[in-house]
Amino acid sequence: MARLKRAGAARSRPATYHTAMRVARIVHGLMSRPFGWSFAAIQDELGISERTLLRYLAASRRELVDADGEPIVEVVRHGDRRVLRLVSATRTPESSSYQALLFYFAASVLQALDGTVLKEGVQDLWESFYRMLPPDQQRRLAGFDRKFFTVPYLAKDYRAFDERLDTILRCLVHQYTLRIVYESPWRGAQDPEPQDFDPYTLAMYRGGLYLIGRSHKHRRIVYLAVERMRTVTKLARHFDYPARYSPVRHTEGTFGIVDGPETDVAIRIPDPDGAALLRARRLHPTQQFHQQPDGSMLLTMTVRGTAELENWVLSLGPHAEVLAPAELRARVAAALEAAAAQYRDEKSPAADTRRRLQ
């Protein structure tokens, strides 16, 4: 009798039923997500802990197998992010459509490079990829050019730089040293001297192209804006690509692309709406927001270089106040004062032009 009671109790455990339903929900969710479902999203959807999810995953990999005895689910990593997906998901026809759309969206980011060898090369790849898709998948992608779109913001015009871009790309891929005549914005009208340059990375930043590499002249890694290159010449000299170089590490900590000394900054955001808008953005890896008693928000960061940070603060106008460092606060205050003075001066040539236009 005791054995019968224990058996009946085991059959009526609600945890067994709930566990089966949760595993079924996970598998069902994976069927509609060909590129996987993140651990964090699964935990949030099912209201379970990571430990419980790992227990479900272990059971699924043990019990849910294909005809060859291989698990039908797998875990893939994207940096620190873990994603669960069906092993066969990447082989389904539907996933090819997703891949095509993602490819097109990535290509649409290059709209700022319209008319250049870069944009034309990516466009050729897209058209070749699209033609290889079965007719049913091409129909599924109808209107893709309206579903994915990128609005360029103050993009630079590279239509006259085709030959230079082509030379840069060839030397970047085959590791040839370049000889570049570069017109620095800080040299004024002075005639620039040629410099030999080992190209490591072609980076796109805020609608502009920048070449990161080692300058033989400066004997260190620098960045050069492509539009400031007067001439670009391929040299018959190979260079060894440095094994320890990484564009991620090189730009890590910078506020943008211009580096400089490591600096602790503090910026006050006076209005709650402005603070909410900024908190929704990833301004810098070290950013921290601190609510203040007066209702304002304090933004703190540790950045490498403040040149671009200064321009960003100026773009916020009255919605940001630099508290530290003192040097950055003084530069921002001087720039704002100079800008305000232009609007107050009624005797300047600009004021005469304004009155004529009104």
Side-chain angles (χ1 to χ4, degrees):
M1 179 66 71
R3 284 198 300 272
L4 288 174
K5 287 183 178 179
R6 285 197 296 271
R11 284 194 299 269
S12 62
R13 284 177 184 172
T16 303
Y17 171 79
H18 289 310
T19 298
M21 290 301 297
R22 285 169 176 167
V23 172
R25 286 177 62 185
I26 291 173
V27 175
H28 182 267
L30 293 176
M31 293 175 64
S32 61
R33 295 174 172 87
F35 291 100
W37 197 0
S38 72
F39 273 36
I42 296 175
Q43 291 170 227
D44 184 63
E45 176 75 17
L46 302 185
I48 59 176
S49 66
E50 181 179 341
R51 183 177 179 181
T52 300
L53 176 56
L54 291 174
R55 190 170 70 247
Y56 291 171
L57 177 58
S60 298
R61 291 179 60 82
R62 186 173 58 251
E63 303 295 338
L64 301 178
V65 296
D66 59 18
D68 298 322
E70 297 294 328
I72 67 171
V73 296
E74 64 180 352
V75 177
V76 294
R77 283 187 175 272
H78 301 294
D80 295 332
R81 183 169 167 263
R82 287 176 295 176
V83 174
L84 184 64
R85 72 179 182 188
L86 295 175
V87 174
S88 60
T90 55
R91 298 194 294 267
T92 62
E94 185 68 24
S95 68
S96 296
S97 301
Y98 279 106
Q99 289 171 339
L101 286 174
L102 291 175
F103 183 10
Y104 180 79
F105 180 65
S108 70
V109 175
L110 298 179
Q111 285 183 5
L113 302 177
D114 196 25
T116 69
V117 64
L118 284 172
K119 180 62 182 297
E120 291 170 359
V122 172
Q123 186 66 29
D124 289 343
L125 284 175
W126 161 252
E127 292 175 356
S128 298
F129 181 77
Y130 183 77
R131 286 195 298 268
M132 291 171 60
L133 295 174
D136 62 320
Q137 292 187 29
Q138 290 186 7
R139 288 193 296 271
R140 192 178 292 121
L141 294 176
F144 63 84
D145 54 337
R146 289 176 289 143
K147 296 176 181 177
F148 291 87
F149 186 69
T150 301
V151 179
Y153 178 69
L154 300 178
K156 297 179 180 178
D157 189 353
Y158 292 101
R159 286 173 292 183
F161 287 78
D162 239 17
E163 291 187 11
R164 271 167 278 186
L165 284 172
D166 185 64
T167 302
I168 289 171
L169 290 175
R170 293 180 187 278
C171 292
L172 182 64
V173 171
H174 300 292
Q175 294 172 214
Y176 279 101
T177 298
L178 291 164
R179 180 157 293 164
I180 300 174
V181 176
Y182 187 73
E183 186 175 7
S184 171
W186 298 284
R187 294 179 65 94
Q190 186 177 354
D191 190 38
E193 298 177 357
Q195 60 174 302
D196 291 354
F197 191 89
D198 298 338
Y200 294 166
T201 302
L202 183 63
M204 189 170 186
Y205 172 62
R206 298 181 68 177
L209 289 174
Y210 296 85
L211 191 61
I212 302 173
R214 183 179 182 276
S215 169
H216 293 216
K217 177 181 178 180
H218 300 289
R219 298 183 180 180
R220 63 185 179 91
I221 297 177
V222 301
Y223 76 94
L224 301 178
V226 170
E227 74 277 4
R228 291 190 173 275
M229 298 178 184
R230 288 189 180 179
T231 63
V232 177
T233 307
K234 170 182 169 293
L235 301 182
R237 182 170 70 237
H238 280 279
F239 67 89
D240 294 326
Y241 202 90
R244 299 184 62 182
Y245 163 78
S246 164
V248 175
R249 287 199 301 268
H250 180 69
T251 58
E252 186 176 17
T254 61
F255 193 88
I257 199 171
V258 181
D259 63 355
E262 190 172 273
T263 307
D264 293 329
V265 300
I267 300 172
R268 179 177 178 270
I269 313 299
D271 54 296
D273 290 340
L277 289 174
L278 292 181
R279 294 190 73 165
R281 296 178 177 272
R282 187 175 183 272
L283 304 171
H284 193 269
T286 65
Q287 69 186 42
Q288 291 188 21
F289 291 91
H290 312 270
Q291 188 67 50
Q292 302 300 295
D294 63 355
S296 65
M297 189 73 71
L298 184 66
L299 167 62
T300 60
M301 298 179 287
T302 301
V303 302
R304 282 176 41 218
T306 58
E308 289 186 88
L309 179 62
E310 177 183 342
N311 293 332
W312 177 73
V313 172
L314 288 170
S315 73
L316 296 177
H319 304 292
E321 176 189 1
V322 176
L323 303 183
E327 298 83 359
L328 177 61
R329 178 180 174 89
R331 294 203 309 268
V332 171
L336 290 174
E337 177 59 32
Q342 295 184 99
Y343 288 88
R344 291 193 298 264
D345 189 355
E346 291 297 323
K347 297 181 180 180
S348 67
D352 294 336
T353 302
R354 174 176 55 82
R355 283 188 286 270
R356 289 198 305 269
L357 293 175
Q358 288 177 341

